[in-house]
Amino acid sequence: MSLTIEKPGILTTIQDLGRTRYRRFGINPGGVMDRTAVRSINILLGNDENEAVLEMHFPAAQIQFGSDVIFALGGAEFGAELDGVPVETWRPVFAAANSRLSFGRKNSGSRTYLAVKGGFKLEHWLESASTNLAAVTGGFEGRKLMTGDRLEPRQSYEKPPRNIFHVRISPSLLPLYSSFPTVRIIAGAEFERLSAASQVLLKDQDFLISNASDRMGFRLLGKPISLAKPLELLSSAVDFGTIQLLPDGQLTVLMADHQTTGGYPRLAHVISRDLPLLAQLCANDKVAFHLVDATHAEELALEFERDLDLLRVGCQYNRR
């Protein structure tokens, strides 16, 4: 019944959409970096959108399926193969017992996701199966997956339902992943405290993702940005996508494992629609920002939710 990790990859963890109701206790939400990818492939499989998945970086894990399983891959494209046969992302795939999933090359993106139909048998901590590596809790024993670890799917199939394989996600719904995306932002609480020249720099220059970047935050390198006047702030709430100004004039963007509060100026926030573009970057990639207003950001978020609803309905209809 199990999926066995034959090679763990550089960082493979169990993640879901995070434990979002406990920030007031100082517990960060964590969860997947690319929420769009995970929501989409879970819908594709008929799972709850919050079902736990494997989040893999390149080189990714090699996995042996101990029983017949239906799975889907989404997010980064790592040249997946099932027993040597290329596997498409963004569609359900049948893996027979004793077959082996491997990844050969990094074609695009930095994080790929594997969901299985029915999900994995996992214990939850604070309503989430996400791995919190810093707290050594959640997921699989609170740690990244290692050689020999076994995960138990809730479902297996002697005879898989054929109609599930007819669906795939339309390219129009997928993020336009790039190693140099332009990401839309809205102004943060301290944006107006920037000097006029620094407001232009935030919007017009390209930023390099530094090596000091991880699931907690991306450090950006660019021409230094400064406030018009010195400013002291009390720690305030921050979120996934908050862009903060550091004392050295550089920026950091908070990612999935971000802290719950911060005392640095909050210059801007990446809009939810574009967070997946940022989430698929890694060190030495670049990013540029485009300022939009909050109304436009909300419209884009609602548009995406409507598209997901259509995907959900389409998948349900196809499975009848």
Side-chain angles (χ1 to χ4, degrees):
M1 286 289 290
S2 60
L3 277 70
T4 302
I5 305 298
E6 294 187 327
K7 295 179 182 177
I10 191 170
L11 177 60
T12 301
T13 58
I14 298 288
Q15 303 290 346
D16 58 19
L17 299 184
R19 44 187 66 84
T20 58
R21 300 174 55 192
Y22 300 92
R23 301 186 201 201
R24 64 188 185 279
F25 302 120
I27 298 171
N28 65 334
V32 295
M33 291 278 276
D34 186 343
R35 294 171 62 90
T36 293
V38 171
R39 293 180 68 189
S40 299
I41 59 175
N42 270 328
I43 290 173
L44 202 59
L45 294 173
N47 293 344
D48 186 288
E49 291 179 30
N50 193 36
E51 194 63 62
V53 301
L54 297 188
E55 179 179 270
M56 296 181 277
H57 299 69
F58 193 82
Q62 179 172 297
I63 300 166
Q64 184 187 41
F65 296 96
S67 61
D68 295 352
V69 171
I70 298 172
F71 71 92
L73 298 170
E77 168 57 56
F78 287 169
E81 293 186 347
L82 188 64
D83 286 341
V85 178
V87 174
E88 290 185 66
T89 52
W90 309 111
R91 67 183 312 168
V93 177
F94 175 70
N98 300 317
S99 57
R100 180 172 286 108
L101 180 67
S102 58
F103 299 87
R105 60 190 179 281
K106 182 179 176 181
N107 296 323
S108 66
S110 297
R111 292 161 188 89
T112 196
Y113 296 91
L114 182 149
V116 298
K117 182 166 175 56
F120 296 105
K121 296 178 182 176
L122 294 165
E123 293 185 3
H124 286 56
W125 179 64
L126 299 181
E127 306 176 71
S128 170
S130 284
T131 307
N132 187 321
L133 293 173
V136 195
T137 190
F140 190 93
E141 300 178 357
R143 61 169 171 79
K144 63 182 182 180
L145 294 175
M146 301 170 65
T147 300
D149 286 342
R150 294 187 173 186
L151 298 167
E152 298 292 332
R154 293 198 194 97
Q155 296 180 7
S156 64
Y157 302 89
E158 294 182 357
K159 190 174 183 180
R162 290 185 178 182
N163 53 358
I164 191 173
F165 302 110
H166 297 162
V167 297
R168 64 180 305 166
I169 298 176
S170 167
S172 64
L173 190 60
L174 302 179
L176 297 174
Y177 297 133
S178 164
S179 60
F180 186 10
T182 294
V183 168
R184 288 165 288 193
I185 58 175
I186 58 173
E190 285 78 41
F191 176 81
E192 297 297 335
R193 301 296 190 102
L194 287 172
S195 66
S198 289
Q199 289 187 14
V200 173
L201 274 178
L202 176 62
K203 294 181 287 185
D204 286 0
Q205 71 168 315
D206 306 331
F207 294 92
L208 181 72
I209 310 291
S210 83
N211 291 323
S213 299
D214 54 22
R215 279 180 43 92
M216 185 174 181
F218 286 175
R219 294 288 298 269
L220 307 184
L221 300 176
K223 295 177 182 176
I225 286 174
S226 60
L227 300 173
K229 296 179 180 178
L231 178 66
E232 290 190 7
L233 291 171
L234 296 174
S235 287
S236 303
V238 292
D239 201 358
F240 193 171
T242 298
I243 301 174
Q244 294 179 301
L245 177 62
L246 304 179
D248 63 359
Q250 300 298 328
L251 304 179
T252 186
V253 189
L254 301 183
M255 303 303 289
D257 283 347
H258 64 84
Q259 68 276 24
T260 56
T261 61
Y264 295 129
R266 297 153 298 175
L267 303 186
H269 305 274
V270 178
I271 70 170
S272 61
R273 191 71 179 91
D274 287 354
L275 274 175
L277 305 182
L278 196 65
Q280 289 293 348
L281 299 182
C282 64
N284 298 319
D285 285 341
K286 289 184 176 181
V287 63
F289 297 122
H290 176 65
L291 189 65
V292 298
D293 60 41
T295 300
H296 185 53
E298 290 173 357
E299 290 171 350
L300 290 169
L302 290 172
E303 178 183 80
F304 177 67
E305 293 301 324
R306 285 194 293 270
D307 287 343
L308 275 190
D309 283 342
L310 291 174
L311 174 66
R312 192 178 299 108
V313 170
C315 289
Q316 290 172 348
Y317 180 79
N318 189 73
R319 285 191 286 269
R320 289 178 179 174

